[in-house]
Amino acid sequence: MHLLWVVLWLTTDYHFINNNFACQDVLKNYSKGDKNGIVNTNEEKHRGVKTPPPLPPNAALQSPPTTNTPKVHNPKHGRTEQVTHPKTSSADETGTSCELTYGSYCLWQQEHKEVMKDAMVKKLKDQLFVARAYYPSIAKLPAQDKLSRQLKQSIQELEHVLSESSTDADLPPLVETKSERMDVAIARAKSVPVVCDNVDKKFRQLYDLTEDEADFHRKQSAFLYKLNVLTMPKSFHCLALKLTVEYFKSSHDEEEADSEKFEDSSLHHYVIFSNNVLAASVVINSTVTHAKVSRNQVFHVLSDGQNYYAMKLWFKRNNYGEAAVQVLNVEHLEMDSLKDNSLQLSLPEEFRVSFRSYDNPSMGQFRTEYISIFSHSHYLLPDIFSKLKKVVVLDDDVVIQRDLSSLWNLDMGEKVNGAVQFCSVRLGQLKGYLGEKGFSHNSCAWMSGLNIIDLVRWREFGLTQTYKRLIKELSVQKGSTTAAAWPASLLAFENKIYPLNESWVRSGLGHDYKIDSNSIKSAPVLHYNGKMKPWLDLGIPNYKSYWKKYLNKEDQLLSECNVNS
């Protein structure tokens, strides 16, 4: 049994580490109470997401509250991350709550820890703070006159050193000797029974300042990380702009040579929703590279108006074997089922889940996954490709490493969507967000990335209409249509998923640092689900080469925009 958490993105989660000073019981109690010194024995204060107490193996999951689902969304420059609020009951002191709260930011932070700079300067400042906390109390004791003078002298020495040095490189010789003398003085001061009022006051100041500063920097760095992963690199913007300008400089009167292939249902049709020229290019290039026969492959790239012309020119000036590539502007689609002109491209939805198995509760380790799922745009497929019977939908953050032709021979029976299932997360565990719709609580969640879609069955079952109905119903409960998108998508395909063997796709390359290289090399499809996409500076370094090898590095525009740097 798994305990599932769907986590909130940005809350505070900093724990002050209590130093072993004299009067430490005061500070220890203070850290459990409020900042006015009131200790609450019934409810421990905790910033951020709290972890639950261990549940028995057969315990039912407590439903989370059905509040509005916040989300971070940029329709032009990235995917949507769905986040929701869990119910919690007790504090987690193990550090796992950081990952529950901040997701891949904490994973990235752990992997990029650096040795503390100017550690000696920081040590001297800490010593000076502690010595100043004890000195007023020691100075009032006539019997400790010698210790008082020693403390005062050490304080003056460190004050003089720090007034002239802000980095370790600036420190004078023999500074370690001064630090050792201060350590001795502080140790003696700790052994003297004193009234704790002054010490307590100073430590309260230290606690508040440290906690507030750490909280600020944690929030700031998490925000900057989030901003970075949601922002397209400048080099990619440069490429898109240059391609767009070049497109309008050239003539485009000729008809596309492969236009007859775009509606030929006997060919292998692949669909990619993307606003990223190079990401879409890598998907197509990697697919064609490993295809036994490329002349029967047709790729349909659906983009937005901002990137449409860049896409058009890129795929015109770059060849992909004998495969045909069609670029469509989602915003200009003309279909009978669309009565409005406000259609916008939406990329696959992603939502983060964290869970741990109670089969081995002693481990206490949470596992975080990013589950990607269809967006609004995917439900236009039967109308956009009205003459096709079957398509394979590929997310633009995948890399193909094997021939995919065998997918077209799968007999999916009455199923509509061939997808890799994610049975660590079952619909029953999400019932607080899915509502009571009569679904099977034991049904597994499923992943987009690689999906075989039977468009004939889709039309027969009216799944687009089902999805729209669910969106309307769930938006009342969730407060917005965007918040209802992913539960509606899960429910629309319930009992209509054909489970692909999980060996087809190796997922997690956008958030998991610990994937074995052998499993990556042997997987037919690599999925960079998560926030650390391979085209970002924050992408996981060990996995970038699998993506970059399919870039067309000979194109001059890549050099002009420093894409390869």
Side-chain angles (χ1 to χ4, degrees):
M1 178 178 179
H2 295 275
L3 173 66
L4 170 70
W5 292 77
V6 187
V7 295
L8 179 64
W9 164 53
L10 193 60
T11 55
T12 310
D13 185 45
Y14 175 76
H15 301 283
F16 178 77
I17 300 176
N18 191 3
N19 290 311
N20 186 24
F21 299 145
C23 301
Q24 60 183 350
D25 55 329
V26 176
L27 187 58
K28 185 183 297 183
N29 290 336
Y30 172 63
S31 68
K32 294 182 180 179
D34 64 14
K35 294 183 180 181
N36 295 319
I38 300 174
V39 179
N40 189 336
T41 58
N42 297 320
E43 181 178 339
E44 183 180 45
K45 179 182 176 183
H46 178 69
R47 295 190 175 194
V49 175
K50 305 174 185 179
T51 59
L55 298 178
N58 298 320
L61 177 73
Q62 189 176 25
S63 299
T66 56
T67 54
N68 291 348
T69 304
K71 63 193 294 186
V72 180
H73 184 41
N74 186 335
K76 293 291 184 182
H77 295 111
R79 286 171 173 77
T80 298
E81 180 184 1
Q82 297 283 356
V83 290
T84 48
H85 298 271
K87 276 190 176 180
T88 57
S89 55
S90 64
D92 172 24
E93 303 297 338
T94 66
T96 57
S97 56
C98 177
E99 186 174 335
L100 290 174
T101 305
Y102 294 101
S104 57
Y105 160 71
C106 285
L107 301 175
W108 175 85
Q109 184 189 50
Q110 292 167 11
E111 289 295 321
H112 293 82
K113 280 185 178 179
E114 297 181 359
V115 177
M116 181 185 293
K117 296 180 180 179
D118 306 314
M120 178 57 75
V121 169
K122 290 180 173 62
K123 179 182 178 182
L124 296 178
K125 288 181 178 179
D126 289 343
Q127 288 179 320
L128 190 58
F129 192 100
V130 175
R132 285 170 174 168
Y134 278 101
Y135 177 73
S137 299
I138 298 296
K140 293 178 181 179
L141 302 176
Q144 301 297 330
D145 185 60
K146 183 178 179 181
L147 175 58
S148 176
R149 289 196 303 272
Q150 183 180 357
L151 267 177
K152 184 177 181 180
Q153 181 181 356
S154 295
I155 289 173
Q156 290 174 342
E157 287 180 351
L158 293 195
E159 286 177 339
H160 178 70
V161 168
L162 292 175
S163 68
E164 298 180 349
S165 307
S166 58
T167 65
D168 283 3
D170 300 331
L171 292 173
L174 304 178
V175 69
E176 292 185 0
T177 302
K178 299 179 186 294
S179 177
E180 290 173 0
R181 282 204 297 267
M182 176 63 89
D183 275 337
V184 172
I186 290 175
R188 288 185 58 193
K190 289 180 181 180
S191 65
V192 177
V194 295
V195 178
C196 291
D197 291 347
N198 290 329
V199 179
D200 178 42
K201 182 179 178 180
K202 287 290 185 181
F203 282 168
R204 287 175 187 275
Q205 293 174 359
L206 176 63
Y207 181 92
D208 291 345
L209 290 172
T210 305
E211 185 182 40
D212 291 343
E213 184 177 2
D215 179 45
F216 168 78
H217 286 297
R218 172 64 64 84
K219 284 185 176 181
Q220 183 185 57
S221 57
F223 171 77
L224 294 174
Y225 170 87
K226 196 75 171 181
L227 184 64
N228 197 308
V229 299
L230 290 176
T231 304
M232 196 75 77
K234 184 171 69 173
S235 58
F236 281 47
H237 277 298
C238 168
L239 178 64
L241 287 172
K242 283 183 176 289
L243 286 169
T244 302
V245 171
E246 290 295 326
Y247 178 89
F248 286 106
K249 283 183 178 180
S250 56
S251 59
H252 307 281
D253 297 331
E254 71 280 1
E255 191 174 331
E256 294 182 80
D258 297 318
S259 57
E260 72 281 356
K261 290 186 175 183
F262 299 152
E263 297 181 350
D264 187 348
S265 61
S266 66
L267 301 178
H268 296 175
H269 293 264
Y270 297 87
V271 178
I272 304 166
F273 291 88
S274 180
N275 57 16
N276 186 327
V277 174
L278 291 185
S281 176
V282 165
V283 176
I284 295 175
N285 194 24
S286 62
T287 305
V288 172
T289 298
H290 295 98
K292 294 178 180 178
V293 179
S294 64
R295 64 176 176 271
N296 64 350
Q297 292 184 321
V298 182
F299 295 89
H300 306 271
V301 181
L302 285 84
S303 189
D304 56 8
Q306 178 176 317
N307 297 279
Y308 170 70
Y309 299 105
M311 290 274 194
K312 287 280 287 186
L313 185 59
W314 176 267
F315 289 111
K316 180 181 177 181
R317 60 189 280 164
N318 290 279
N319 295 321
Y320 299 88
E322 299 180 74
V325 181
Q326 179 189 31
V327 180
L328 296 173
N329 184 352
V330 171
E331 296 172 10
H332 291 167
L333 290 176
E334 296 181 1
M335 296 180 292
D336 295 336
S337 59
L338 294 175
K339 304 300 181 183
D340 61 86
N341 296 320
S342 60
L343 183 64
Q344 291 186 340
L345 174 72
S346 56
L347 298 178
E349 308 279 356
E350 281 191 343
F351 62 98
R352 172 162 52 96
V353 295
S354 295
F355 53 90
R356 72 178 167 195
S357 173
Y358 281 102
D359 296 335
N360 192 2
S362 61
M363 295 299 292
Q365 293 296 319
F366 279 85
R367 178 182 170 192
T368 297
E369 286 286 348
Y370 285 79
I371 300 180
S372 55
I373 207 162
F374 285 175
S375 68
H376 294 305
S377 296
H378 288 75
Y379 290 89
L380 301 174
L381 289 173
D383 295 321
I384 298 173
F385 304 106
S386 57
K387 296 184 179 181
L388 301 183
K389 298 178 181 179
K390 180 183 287 188
V391 296
V392 170
V393 180
L394 300 172
D395 286 359
D396 68 353
D397 58 351
V398 303
V399 170
I400 309 303
Q401 300 190 124
R402 298 288 185 277
D403 178 39
L404 299 183
S405 58
S406 61
L407 294 175
W408 300 90
N409 300 323
L410 285 178
D411 180 8
M412 298 196 300
E414 296 292 316
K415 305 301 182 182
V416 177
N417 183 355
V420 173
Q421 291 188 309
F422 192 74
C423 290
S424 293
V425 178
R426 299 184 184 270
L427 300 191
Q429 295 171 297
L430 297 170
K431 62 183 180 180
Y433 308 102
L434 301 180
E436 297 296 337
K437 300 294 180 183
F439 57 86
S440 171
H441 287 199
N442 204 40
S443 295
C444 298
W446 56 275
M447 296 270 283
S448 70
L450 172 70
N451 300 89
I452 304 98
I453 302 298
D454 187 332
L455 294 176
V456 176
R457 296 290 183 193
W458 185 312
R459 297 183 188 104
E460 288 178 359
F461 289 123
L463 290 186
T464 299
Q465 290 70 33
T466 301
Y467 173 78
K468 290 180 179 179
R469 175 179 56 81
L470 287 167
I471 282 287
K472 186 176 181 180
E473 294 175 1
L474 289 169
S475 62
V476 175
Q477 174 186 340
K478 302 297 180 184
S480 68
T481 55
T482 52
W486 68 270
S489 201
L490 284 175
L491 292 174
F493 282 99
E494 208 231 336
N495 296 324
K496 296 177 178 63
I497 298 294
Y498 178 86
L500 295 178
N501 191 303
E502 62 180 11
S503 63
W504 265 104
V505 180
R506 188 61 177 97
S507 61
L509 276 74
H511 68 91
D512 188 351
Y513 282 87
K514 300 178 182 179
I515 300 178
D516 179 64
S517 60
N518 292 328
S519 68
I520 294 177
K521 293 175 182 177
S522 62
V525 180
L526 303 180
H527 191 185
Y528 289 82
N529 57 312
K531 295 302 171 189
M532 292 177 274
K533 303 300 183 187
W535 53 82
L536 297 175
D537 291 337
L538 290 178
I540 299 177
N542 290 343
Y543 309 150
K544 284 187 176 184
S545 60
Y546 301 102
W547 186 85
K548 285 188 173 182
K549 65 165 39 171
Y550 297 106
L551 279 177
N552 185 357
K553 298 179 181 179
E554 297 179 358
D555 194 290
Q556 181 181 354
L557 290 180
L558 267 65
S559 298
E560 292 179 6
C561 292
N562 297 319
V563 172
N564 294 322
S565 61

